[in-house]
Amino acid sequence: MAITVYSKPSCVQCKSTYRALDSKGLDYEIVDLTENAEALELVKSLGYMSAPVVVTDTDHWTGFRPDMIATEAAK
C-alpha cells in the first residue's frame, strides 16, 4: 500500500495527519507542494486547493481525516 501526503510547511492539519498515520503504523511519503510544481498540478487536477492531500492506492482526500486513516489501516 502506497500513501503519499502532499503537504505545506507549517500546516497544522498536515502535522495531525502525520501523527495519525504514525499512530496506525502506516508508512507514507511526504511531498512538499511549495517545492514541487508537478505535485501541485497533480493536487489541483484532483480538485483540491488546500493541504494536506492524501493519496492512497485506491482513494484520495484533503484535510485531517482520522476516519479515512483508520479505513486505510484496516486494509
Side-chain angles (χ1 to χ4, degrees):
M1 168 184 354
I3 300 174
T4 305
V5 181
Y6 295 94
S7 179
K8 292 182 177 182
S10 303
C11 168
V12 174
Q13 288 191 45
C14 301
K15 291 177 183 168
S16 295
T17 298
Y18 308 151
R19 283 193 298 273
L21 289 165
D22 290 340
S23 75
K24 298 291 185 185
L26 297 170
D27 292 327
Y28 56 95
E29 176 185 359
I30 299 170
V31 177
D32 186 339
L33 292 170
T34 64
E35 296 181 1
N36 188 323
E38 188 176 299
L40 181 58
E41 288 307 312
L42 170 69
V43 165
K44 286 181 179 179
S45 76
L46 293 173
Y48 300 119
M49 298 298 289
S50 62
V53 174
V54 180
V55 178
T56 70
D57 292 335
T58 59
D59 207 356
H60 51 84
W61 65 87
T62 189
F64 175 52
R65 295 285 308 271
D67 58 324
M68 297 297 287
I69 293 169
T71 299
E72 286 303 311
K75 291 182 181 176

